[in-house]
């Protein structure tokens, strides 16, 4: 038996205005029903005008996955009655979507189309439900795959790669936790009775729900039970899927062409121009980063999976290469992804409001490269750089920070530490190597981290041999 999984993924596009009117498309709006107008409220007599940017965005996504742009596309009405739909129908695309075909991660994409989002409902204490139409009419992209996926791993990998592409293209923030990207998975064994998993709002939940659902279906099939075609949700607390509604009551959407928007030729959106203007995509960046910077697969992925980090890294690398053509990428990579990002997380700073410029981080790496700073000093300096935005070269000069290089001075400290720590010295001479680290640590503390550990080690070894 083989698991077969197909996906329907919706993503909110981050255009300035909504899909068919000029109400603001602002997912951060906290006040209900402020970004509304007669068009997105579905008042009679109003006419929808398609958003050009939203159409271009979907074409870009289609081109990024090698899809075919339909020469003629059209909008259709998908009818169903629910209070989140002010018009009583959703404008979507039925038989002439913008994009057909394409592949991503080896998975065939059936189509990518454009539609409008629904309003959000707030179910209170049961006596009434409230409707917020801010989201009604926001541009929504829908991508449908063939049932080419076979488990939780490849499904989440596919969804993550799509999220990355949407972010690289700048068409959607695609944050699942914020509902900007919503994944529905059709799960079955051997293309048998299909169960649709819905309302799952994180990659982890998608992963866990699919694993659970495949096990549940397998157990049922093996015990001769008949599965029902249904929609199931994911219970985060119980870690179980649960039945939401059976497909028997599935709607007949009575699709028909949207009479207020005639079919249109996509040539007007200049697909060739959009294709030529596509940015470097994640798959291309992986190959180039590995080649150009000699980083391994894991390191490359850490950079590529976050565009802001990747861009920052490249900017800093090009600064570093100017002064140190032979400098490797690893030092800068480590200071960026572990030290700097660690501090940023700690302080709640994003790249957008980061005071440390790529140039300054390159200067810090340069000082390390020239052995003008010790690791300990560099880490302290990064804290200062984050707070002040000062250039590390200026901080080093004004603070008189640098590597102690006077061997006589350091030698005196080493001798003093040896004299003060008889027990550790005896232990070392009996073969306890940890004692040497202890002594080095003592000396480093006295020198306030300004000595190179290797130099200290060498001096200790020399003096301990003769003492
Ligand atoms: Mn849809």
């Amino acid at each position: 038996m083989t698991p077969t999984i197909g996906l329907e993924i919706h993503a909110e596009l981050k255009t300035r205005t909504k899909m068919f009117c000029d109400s603001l498309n602002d997912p951060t709006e906290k006040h209900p029903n402020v970004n509304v107008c007669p068009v997105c409220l579905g008042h009679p007599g109003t006419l929808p005008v398609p958003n050009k940017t939203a159409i271009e965005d979907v074409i870009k996504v289609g081109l990024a996955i090698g899809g075919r742009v339909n020469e003629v596309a059209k909008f259709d009405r998908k009818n169903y009655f629910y209070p989140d739909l002010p018009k009583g129908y959703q404008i979507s695309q039925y038989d002439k979507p913008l994009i057909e075909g394409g592949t991503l991660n080896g998975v065939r994409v059936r189509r990518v189309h454009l539609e409008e989002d629904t309003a959000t409902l707030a179910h209170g204490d049961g006596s009434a439900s409230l409707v917020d139409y801010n989201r009604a009419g926001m541009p929504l992209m829908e991508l449908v795959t063939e049932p080419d996926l076979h488990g939780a791993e490849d499904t989440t990998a596919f969804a993550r790669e799509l999220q990355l592409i949407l972010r690289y293209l700048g068409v959607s923030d695609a944050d699942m936790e914020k509902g900007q990207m919503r994944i529905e998975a059709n799960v079955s064994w051997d293309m048998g009775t299909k169960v649709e998993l819905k309302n799952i709002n994180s990659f982890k939940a998608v992963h866990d729900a699919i694993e659970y659902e495949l096990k549940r279906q397998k157990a049922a099939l093996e015990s001769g039970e008949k599965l029902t075609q249904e929609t199931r949700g994911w219970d985060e607390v119980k870690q179980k899927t649960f039945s939401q509604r059976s497909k028997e009551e599935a709607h007949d959407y009575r699709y028909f062409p949207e009479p207020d928007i005639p079919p249109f030729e996509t040539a007007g959106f200049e697909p060739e121009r959009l294709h030529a203007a596509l940015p470097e995509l994640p798959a291309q960046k992986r190959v180039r980063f590995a080649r150009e910077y000699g980083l391994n697969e894991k390191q490359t992925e850490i950079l590529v999976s976050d565009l802001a980090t990747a861009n920052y890294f490249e900017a800093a690398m090009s600064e570093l290469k100017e002064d140190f053509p032979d400098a490797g990428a690893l030092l800068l990579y480590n200071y960026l992804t572990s030290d700097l990002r660690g501090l940023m997380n700690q302080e709640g700073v994003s790249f957008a409001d980061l005071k440390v410029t790529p140039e300054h981080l390159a200067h810090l790496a340069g000082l390390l490269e020239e052995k003008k700073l010790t690791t300990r000093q560099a880490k302290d300096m990064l804290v200062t750089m984050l707070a002040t935005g000062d250039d590390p070269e200026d901080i080093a000069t004004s603070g008189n920070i640098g590597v102690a290089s006077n061997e006589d001075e350091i030698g005196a400290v080493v001798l003093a530490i040896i004299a003060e720590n008889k027990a550790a010295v005896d232990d070392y001479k009996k073969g306890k190597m940890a004692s040497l680290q202890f002594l080095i640590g003592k000396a480093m503390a006295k020198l306030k981290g300004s000595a190179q550990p290797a130099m200290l080690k060498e001096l200790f070894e020399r003096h301990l041999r003769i003492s």
Side-chain angles (χ1 to χ4, degrees), residues 8-10 78 90 92 113-116 140-144 184 255:
E8 287 168 29
I9 301 182
H10 286 88
K78 178 180 177 179
Q90 177 192 37
S92 180
H113 71 250
L114 189 53
E115 55 191 36
E116 55 181 339
L140 198 60
M141 179 203 96
E142 179 174 343
L143 178 145
V144 183
E184 290 158 40
Y255 278 100

Side-chain angles (χ1 to χ4, degrees), residues 96-216:
K96 290 271 176 214
L98 281 164
I99 303 295
E100 287 186 84
T103 51
L104 180 59
N105 280 16
V107 173
R108 288 170 301 156
V109 170
R110 186 180 296 166
R111 54 185 280 149
V112 190
H113 71 250
L114 189 53
E115 55 191 36
E116 55 181 339
D117 210 345
T118 57
T120 42
L121 294 173
H123 304 289
D125 54 7
S127 65
S129 289
L130 301 171
V131 192
D132 175 7
Y133 288 101
N134 284 341
R135 201 182 69 177
M138 281 186 186
L140 198 60
M141 179 203 96
E142 179 174 343
L143 178 145
V144 183
T145 76
E146 298 295 343
D148 286 353
L149 294 145
H150 301 293
E153 300 297 334
D154 61 346
T155 300
T156 42
F158 178 93
R160 279 186 189 280
E161 191 67 7
L162 178 65
Q163 179 190 57
L164 207 47
I165 289 174
L166 295 173
R167 289 177 175 176
Y168 270 52
L169 293 174
V171 302
S172 173
D173 289 334
D175 190 327
M176 281 196 74
E177 279 80 0
K178 291 180 183 161
Q180 295 161 341
M181 177 159 143
R182 298 164 225 156
I183 299 174
E184 290 158 40
N186 288 303
V187 180
S188 68
W189 283 93
D190 295 330
M191 308 281 283
T193 305
K194 233 167 41 174
V195 166
E196 186 181 34
L197 297 177
K198 242 179 158 167
N199 304 319
I200 317 174
N201 49 21
S202 72
F203 286 116
K204 189 182 177 300
V206 168
H207 179 276
D208 296 348
I210 288 173
E211 289 228 307
Y212 175 87
E213 186 56 25
L214 284 171
K215 269 190 215 140
R216 184 190 72 84

Side-chain angles (χ1 to χ4, degrees), residues 451-465:
Q452 296 286 13
M455 184 186 190
L456 272 182
K457 182 163 182 275
E458 193 208 305
L459 283 171
F460 266 109
E461 281 171 344
R462 196 194 311 162
H463 285 297
L464 287 168
R465 227 178 291 133

Side-chain angles (χ1 to χ4, degrees), residues 140-384:
L140 198 60
M141 179 203 96
E142 179 174 343
L143 178 145
V144 183
T145 76
E146 298 295 343
D148 286 353
L149 294 145
H150 301 293
E153 300 297 334
D154 61 346
T155 300
T156 42
F158 178 93
R160 279 186 189 280
E161 191 67 7
L162 178 65
Q163 179 190 57
L164 207 47
I165 289 174
L166 295 173
R167 289 177 175 176
Y168 270 52
L169 293 174
V171 302
S172 173
D173 289 334
D175 190 327
M176 281 196 74
E177 279 80 0
K178 291 180 183 161
Q180 295 161 341
M181 177 159 143
R182 298 164 225 156
I183 299 174
E184 290 158 40
N186 288 303
V187 180
S188 68
W189 283 93
D190 295 330
M191 308 281 283
T193 305
K194 233 167 41 174
V195 166
E196 186 181 34
L197 297 177
K198 242 179 158 167
N199 304 319
I200 317 174
N201 49 21
S202 72
F203 286 116
K204 189 182 177 300
V206 168
H207 179 276
D208 296 348
I210 288 173
E211 289 228 307
Y212 175 87
E213 186 56 25
L214 284 171
K215 269 190 215 140
R216 184 190 72 84
Q217 289 184 20
K218 194 173 191 210
L221 291 168
E222 282 170 354
S223 67
E225 222 175 286
K226 198 174 170 292
L227 288 166
T228 34
Q229 191 175 331
E230 60 183 349
T231 300
R232 294 175 76 89
W234 174 242
D235 187 324
E236 193 66 57
V237 180
K238 292 185 187 152
Q239 292 285 299
K240 283 180 172 177
T241 61
F242 62 94
S243 182
Q244 286 187 314
R245 63 179 152 87
S246 107
K247 270 282 177 188
E248 264 80 285
E249 14 174 315
H251 301 89
D252 170 9
Y253 292 122
R254 295 179 296 118
Y255 278 100
F256 65 85
E258 164 61 57
D260 292 332
I261 309 169
F264 56 98
E265 288 185 11
T266 51
F269 298 91
E270 302 175 73
E272 308 77 32
R273 177 184 57 86
L274 296 174
H275 192 252
L278 285 182
E280 182 181 47
L281 293 165
Q284 300 164 320
K285 205 184 276 297
R286 281 185 194 102
V287 174
R288 186 172 64 80
F289 269 32
R291 187 189 61 222
E292 223 160 276
Y293 303 115
L295 298 170
N296 68 28
E297 201 178 316
K298 195 179 160 218
Q299 292 158 347
T300 302
E301 197 53 41
I302 285 181
L303 294 174
V304 172
S305 64
D306 184 71
L307 190 55
T309 307
N311 288 341
Y312 190 98
F313 173 78
E314 286 224 273
M317 270 314 286
S318 86
E319 292 286 347
L320 184 64
K321 287 280 177 195
E322 254 175 47
D323 299 332
F324 299 92
D326 298 327
L330 200 56
L331 182 69
L332 193 65
Y333 167 85
N334 283 330
Y335 270 85
L336 170 60
T337 59
S338 105
D339 299 280
L340 182 56
R341 283 218 307 203
L343 286 171
M344 288 165 71
N345 287 344
Q346 202 177 303
E347 306 289 320
V349 175
S350 70
F351 279 107
D353 42 41
L354 177 63
K355 285 187 191 162
V356 181
T357 64
E359 188 181 13
H360 290 171
L361 190 71
H363 287 169
L364 186 73
L367 289 169
L368 281 157
E369 196 80 36
E370 286 182 310
K371 306 222 179 309
K372 284 182 178 166
L373 281 184
T374 66
T375 309
R376 156 83 185 276
Q377 289 171 327
K379 286 180 197 286
D380 290 345
M381 191 170 280
L382 201 52
V383 176
T384 311

